[in-house]
Amino acid sequence: MDIRYPRADSAPSYARFSRDYLLPNKPVIIGPSLISSWAAVRRWASEDGSINWDYMKTTYGSCEVTVADCSTRDFSDQKRNQMLFRDVVSLWQAGQGQSLYVKDWHLARALITAGENGLNTDPFYTTPDIFRDDWMNAYYSACTDDDFRFVYVGAAGTFTPLHRDVYTSYSWSTNICGRKRWWLFPPDQTHLLFRKGGEEHLETAYDVRNVDPATYPLFSQAKPIVVEQGPGETIFVPSGWYHQVENLTACISINHNWCNSVNLPSLYDSMCAKVTEVEHALEDVKKLLSETAASRATDVAPSESQRSWEDEWIAICQDVVEKDAGWNWLTFWRMVRHALALAMDRPHQANETLWPRTPRELMPPLDFIKERIRDCRGKFMQRPQREVALVPTLDVMLADIHQLLEATD
């Protein structure tokens, strides 16, 4: 265990968490007092601290879950299948399926939205106050049928390969039962993690425990923070930190990806990088569209032909970005507009059942929030790709954000 890894035995206040960890973008492990009130702590664990499989199987067995097979590899991830949770647990109880890992299980949302299926809909946890300022889950809960709130359940030895969370979002993860080992790489080591060539859009190392030095020649220079997380402990993974996680014992954890005004600049930069990556990958498509438009230029005005193929090019890129990472520019700015309206207490779509409104005292000052949004919006308006003019309804969304930014609180 690395002694440099900061720990907080007691649950910090929002002010302390913001000052010591969120703003400086530093990790921390927080002791069990943070989640002592959770029903999951009492129900999911047996008296000896092991997983209460009978309770889990009886209560949630009818849920369909995504199961990764950690003995396989599918590009930068593992092969996944859909199974009923009770069938996975039955395999584990029979001493089988030791490479199976239930991942990205949207259990909290399922229990709220599908109570008619006979599931136990009692909430099994509440988001700690220090993590309540969460733009991603506030927006997705109110405006989509998706979210970034997960339960993970895996046998000893299962793992999640090296990765960075979507668009450099934060994450927090609480062990209900079991122990995990984390490898965390600060952002200034990111360039050391990639395949020879060093371009960030290329593949990172898959498993930090087995890295080919010929393929990843700089990896040996990386100095990760390695830490073990025990039962009841919560880890905060800062924005942009690559990490890998291994279950040292059978584990159940509750995880969120999240973002807010503090890491908004990082998310914006990551979005720009993703769009550039997709544009480079689709250069042949761009060339084909341009040449096709040029061949038709005798039939239409040149300016109209130019506009037409550029519109199509931007639309294709944004579609690929969304399919690859789950977001595109329209999603990003919708989320920002939603968060700004809520922070200003303006009437706006919200789902208090799925995501209770965040109190003002659990977020940065409004001036800070506005300044972060204003800076990102200003940069976006200057982008040479002109997405603001070419992505349908995006100009309206940005105009709404501008009006909110200029309004008095």
Side-chain angles (χ1 to χ4, degrees):
M1 184 180 302
D2 193 310
I3 61 174
R4 296 176 300 158
Y5 203 94
R7 289 178 175 267
D9 292 333
S10 60
S13 66
Y14 172 77
R16 181 191 163 202
F17 175 73
S18 178
R19 181 194 68 224
D20 293 349
Y21 307 110
L22 196 63
L23 286 168
N25 205 43
K26 294 181 178 180
V28 65
I29 284 184
I30 304 169
S33 63
L34 183 71
I35 54 108
S36 59
S37 65
W38 286 6
V41 175
R42 301 186 300 275
R43 297 173 184 169
W44 294 6
S46 301
E47 290 185 3
D48 62 359
S50 63
I51 298 171
N52 187 338
W53 290 120
D54 290 337
Y55 176 87
M56 298 296 294
K57 190 174 181 179
T58 300
T59 308
Y60 310 119
S62 62
C63 292
E64 187 175 66
V65 294
T66 299
V67 183
D69 185 344
C70 297
S71 67
T72 66
R73 181 172 176 180
D74 186 12
F75 297 101
S76 61
D77 201 356
Q78 296 143 345
K79 291 183 179 179
R80 300 187 178 206
N81 292 296
Q82 299 299 118
M83 297 178 65
L84 293 180
F85 182 62
R86 62 169 170 257
D87 294 338
V88 186
V89 175
S90 293
L91 287 173
W92 287 332
Q93 290 179 316
Q96 303 173 27
Q98 297 305 300
S99 64
L100 301 183
Y101 195 177
V102 174
K103 294 187 174 184
D104 301 332
W105 184 7
H106 297 264
L107 180 59
R109 186 170 186 121
L111 296 186
I112 293 173
T113 59
E116 66 272 12
N117 292 337
L119 297 171
N120 182 344
T121 58
D122 292 339
F124 53 91
Y125 79 109
T126 55
T127 303
D129 281 352
I130 57 175
F131 306 132
R132 289 274 302 278
D133 184 21
D134 178 344
W135 292 11
M136 289 165 62
N137 284 301
Y139 169 73
Y140 272 79
S141 295
C143 304
T144 77
D145 59 359
D146 200 4
D147 65 12
F148 292 87
R149 301 180 294 161
F150 310 111
V151 170
Y152 278 55
V153 190
T158 53
F159 73 104
T160 297
L162 182 65
H163 68 287
R164 184 177 67 181
D165 290 321
V166 57
Y167 289 130
T168 74
S169 58
Y170 300 124
S171 67
W172 63 264
S173 177
T174 298
N175 271 2
I176 303 301
C177 303
R179 300 187 65 83
K180 296 180 185 289
R181 177 177 290 128
W182 293 73
W183 291 261
L184 297 106
F185 297 83
D188 61 4
Q189 297 185 23
T190 295
H191 66 286
L192 304 174
L193 309 179
F194 291 89
R195 181 184 290 272
K196 188 175 181 179
E199 297 182 50
E200 189 162 331
H201 66 273
L202 296 176
E203 178 186 341
T204 65
Y206 175 75
D207 184 348
V208 301
R209 300 165 299 180
N210 183 23
V211 178
D212 180 4
T215 306
Y216 302 94
L218 299 180
F219 188 86
S220 61
Q221 301 176 35
K223 305 298 180 186
I225 296 174
V226 183
V227 64
E228 290 188 11
Q229 176 192 16
E233 292 185 332
T234 299
I235 188 169
F236 165 62
V237 180
S239 179
W241 286 56
Y242 275 86
H243 50 282
Q244 179 170 317
V245 192
E246 178 190 11
N247 291 325
L248 300 177
T249 67
C251 282
I252 302 182
S253 62
I254 297 171
N255 313 333
H256 283 201
N257 291 123
W258 57 298
C259 72
N260 53 42
S261 60
V262 177
N263 68 334
L264 183 65
S266 179
L267 264 75
Y268 174 81
D269 290 343
S270 181
M271 277 288 302
C272 291
K274 186 65 184 179
V275 172
T276 298
E277 174 191 330
V278 169
E279 288 175 344
H280 287 167
L282 299 180
E283 280 290 345
D284 290 347
V285 176
K286 182 178 183 179
K287 182 179 179 182
L288 178 62
L289 291 173
S290 176
E291 291 175 348
T292 302
S295 69
R296 298 199 309 257
T298 55
D299 301 323
V300 297
S303 60
E304 182 179 337
S305 175
Q306 177 81 5
R307 230 176 12 251
S308 176
W309 81 259
E310 285 185 348
D311 286 358
E312 187 174 357
W313 164 245
I314 293 294
I316 290 172
C317 288
Q318 288 295 296
D319 184 61
V320 172
V321 167
E322 183 177 26
K323 284 182 170 59
D324 188 45
W327 295 6
N328 58 19
W329 279 125
L330 190 57
T331 311
F332 177 87
W333 288 113
R334 281 174 173 166
M335 179 187 69
V336 171
R337 197 251 185 230
H338 184 268
L340 181 57
L342 291 177
M344 297 178 66
D345 294 323
R346 298 301 174 93
H348 201 62
Q349 183 177 359
N351 189 323
E352 296 284 344
T353 301
L354 287 173
W355 191 262
R357 187 183 294 262
T358 304
R360 179 69 67 83
E361 63 269 19
L362 297 180
M363 62 179 72
L366 185 58
D367 286 346
F368 177 95
I369 297 171
K370 284 188 170 185
E371 190 60 31
R372 290 282 177 140
I373 296 173
R374 187 177 288 111
D375 286 348
C376 291
R377 182 184 179 278
K379 291 177 182 178
F380 184 75
M381 298 297 289
Q382 300 300 317
R383 279 175 59 80
Q385 290 91 335
R386 299 190 299 114
E387 292 121 331
V388 65
L390 298 176
V391 176
T393 73
L394 188 54
D395 56 340
V396 176
M397 186 65 55
L398 288 160
D400 285 349
I401 292 172
H402 177 71
Q403 288 182 353
L404 287 169
L405 291 172
E406 297 307 309
T408 57
D409 187 22

